[in-house]
Amino acid sequence: MQFGVMTVSDITQDPTTGRTPSEAQRIKDTLTIAKHTEEVGLDVFALGEHHNPPFWSSSPTTTLAYIAAQTERLILTTSTTLITTNDPVKIAEDFAMLQHVSGGRADLMLGRGNTGPVYPWFGKDIRQGLPLTIENYDLLHRLWREDVVDWEGKFRSPLQGFTSTPRPLDGVPPFVWHGSIRTPEIAEQAAYYGNGFFANNIFWPKEHYQRLITLYRERFAHYGHGTPQQAIVGLGGQVFLRANSQDAVREFRPYFDNAPVYGHGPSLEDFSEMTPLTVGSPQQIIDRYAAMRDTFGDYQRQLFLIDHAGLPTKTVLEQLDILGGEVVPVLRKELQKNRPADVPDAPTHRNLVEKIYAGAAPREAVPAANRGDNLTAGSPYQDAVRTGSAFGAAASKVGA
């Protein structure tokens, strides 16, 4: 199991003080939170992507690369990268580069996004959200696995003899999670490619996400990637912790009541009953999240949202201290108990390299002398072995 935190990068007024941080301060504070995530022993830091106020994270890979330079062990990922409005070529380049500068401590979560106006800002039609998702990921998948790509689709200009650089670290593409809060087609897409499915189950009742995850597991097996229990699942979550539940509820209530997403809606008590939001003592959080396996089966990644709704950075760091010191160590043990031997570990670059190369030396992409004309010059890499229309170790060793 991997445990970590995710941020949506909101800049929200603190309802208890009336103060709203500047963009500069919120960015600086998020970097502090990310570094502390590693310091308290958690595994993953995930950053969302937004292109409108009051959010600041328009360039997640830039931020994650900086965090990679400030940490040693932390896995950096997104929550989510917009597969609909970003060019797949740029995603391929940016995340391969993040792989290299982080030493393989990078993966990504792809999603359609939940901000409607973002589509026309980038020249896209929201009514084409699902077709964009399907086509763009098909191209991204190929760009990481084929040294030279010929491609034609509906939503972007064709590619002829195109090479995405740099090539993925060790010839192994970043692991992809397909994130969804409501869409069966995304679960189907994750299953088809044998990728991970991340159910960000922070808004709706568990039964809704149970159906999505069950669909994903069944289709994962249908496409021949393993048993349903071997599918790779991640879950979102929300917590606020204090030594006793009364203090936690009292302190968190004004932030919940005024939160930009769910504020002025259901009560804190009703929302906590309907969703994974848990406000209380460490033991309450342990009990609630240890029971997630009963609903969703054994899974690989648990992310917590802890820095939203205007919470002061000092409070967020205290939340991390409790998570890392009192909650996650117990959850690791609880969720490992009676875990079947065939349930895979959470994906990391290291175990993906081992799976693909089985102890052999991984690929080191070495460019050949090339003028950018891959149509006639063959592979642009000295180490390439041609397989069909694809070049390189990844073409023959990295599957769907």
Side-chain angles (χ1 to χ4, degrees):
M1 281 285 293
Q2 293 171 345
F3 294 88
V5 298
M6 58 182 175
T7 179
V8 295
S9 80
D10 64 307
I11 303 174
T12 303
Q13 183 185 68
D14 184 332
T16 68
T17 65
R19 181 181 177 277
T20 303
S22 66
E23 290 178 330
Q25 185 62 54
R26 183 73 168 100
I27 292 169
K28 181 180 178 181
D29 290 344
T30 304
L31 300 177
T32 299
I33 291 166
K35 288 185 283 188
H36 200 55
T37 300
E38 177 173 274
E39 291 166 355
V40 300
L42 302 188
D43 309 304
V44 183
F45 180 81
L47 177 63
E49 177 186 348
H50 292 277
H51 298 274
N52 58 291
F55 305 96
W56 63 262
S57 180
S58 59
S59 181
T61 51
T62 304
T63 311
L64 295 176
Y66 177 87
I67 296 168
Q70 303 292 310
T71 55
E72 298 180 356
R73 185 183 52 80
L74 196 63
I75 296 170
L76 293 317
T77 189
T78 51
S79 59
T80 65
T81 294
L82 304 181
I83 187 62
T84 47
T85 54
N86 281 300
D87 185 352
V89 170
K90 197 69 173 86
I91 295 176
E93 295 173 339
D94 285 352
F95 280 91
M97 181 63 74
L98 181 60
Q99 264 194 317
H100 281 272
V101 301
S102 68
R105 293 184 290 123
D107 58 37
L108 72 160
M109 187 195 306
L110 296 174
R112 291 189 296 153
N114 58 11
T115 305
V118 74
Y119 283 79
W121 295 342
F122 289 90
K124 306 300 181 183
D125 183 345
I126 193 172
R127 294 170 295 182
Q128 299 297 320
L130 276 172
L132 274 165
T133 298
I134 294 167
E135 180 177 295
N136 283 356
Y137 182 67
D138 174 69
L139 175 55
L140 176 62
H141 185 83
R142 289 185 57 191
L143 288 168
W144 277 333
R145 289 164 174 80
E146 301 174 24
D147 285 355
V148 179
V149 173
D150 296 325
W151 180 89
E152 185 171 356
K154 179 179 179 181
F155 298 108
R156 80 172 315 279
S157 56
L159 297 173
Q160 287 187 297
F162 179 76
T163 298
S164 174
T165 59
R167 302 308 297 148
L169 178 65
D170 299 319
V172 177
F175 187 79
V176 171
W177 302 83
H178 298 259
S180 179
I181 61 173
R182 60 184 176 274
T183 310
E185 289 86 349
I186 303 303
E188 177 77 17
Q189 184 183 45
Y192 177 80
Y193 289 98
N195 294 334
F197 180 65
F198 190 90
N200 194 9
N201 58 328
I202 62 175
F203 294 121
W204 292 0
K206 62 183 180 182
E207 290 78 12
H208 169 75
Y209 297 99
Q210 191 176 38
R211 288 191 291 270
L212 282 177
I213 291 171
T214 298
L215 170 64
Y216 161 67
R217 290 187 185 277
E218 291 173 350
R219 300 301 287 173
F220 181 94
H222 169 80
Y223 289 116
H225 300 298
T227 66
Q229 291 72 32
Q230 291 172 322
I232 307 297
V233 173
L235 296 177
Q238 283 182 283
V239 295
F240 188 86
L241 308 94
R242 287 302 183 206
N244 64 72
S245 59
Q246 294 87 348
D247 289 342
V249 170
R250 174 184 50 77
E251 185 175 348
F252 186 67
R253 189 180 298 279
Y255 295 97
F256 175 88
D257 289 346
N258 293 280
V261 175
Y262 44 66
H264 311 287
S267 69
L268 172 58
E269 288 74 16
D270 287 345
F271 196 81
S272 298
E273 182 178 349
M274 293 184 294
T275 75
L277 173 64
T278 308
V279 181
S281 68
Q283 189 59 51
Q284 287 175 294
I285 276 69
I286 290 168
D287 292 343
R288 186 85 181 275
Y289 281 86
M292 291 294 174
R293 183 168 60 174
D294 298 335
T295 302
F296 302 113
D298 288 289
Y299 61 111
Q300 282 72 27
R301 178 175 285 184
Q302 175 68 63
L303 299 182
F304 298 103
L305 178 62
I306 62 168
D307 74 331
H308 60 306
L311 284 165
T313 301
K314 177 178 179 294
T315 301
V316 176
L317 297 179
E318 292 167 352
Q319 297 294 298
L320 279 171
D321 288 337
I322 303 171
L323 271 176
E326 302 180 46
V327 173
V328 167
V330 179
L331 282 176
R332 288 192 197 278
K333 294 177 181 178
E334 289 297 319
L335 292 172
Q336 191 61 35
K337 288 179 180 178
N338 302 316
R339 191 177 178 94
D342 63 342
V343 172
D345 292 338
T348 65
H349 183 74
R350 178 178 295 179
N351 62 32
L352 292 173
V353 168
E354 178 59 31
K355 179 180 179 181
I356 292 165
Y357 292 96
R363 181 186 189 187
E364 292 188 27
V366 180
N370 186 275
R371 297 172 298 177
D373 181 11
N374 298 330
L375 293 173
T376 59
S379 172
Y381 288 93
Q382 297 178 32
D383 65 313
V385 177
R386 183 160 188 158
T387 305
S389 62
F391 291 92
S396 58
K397 292 191 175 183
V398 180

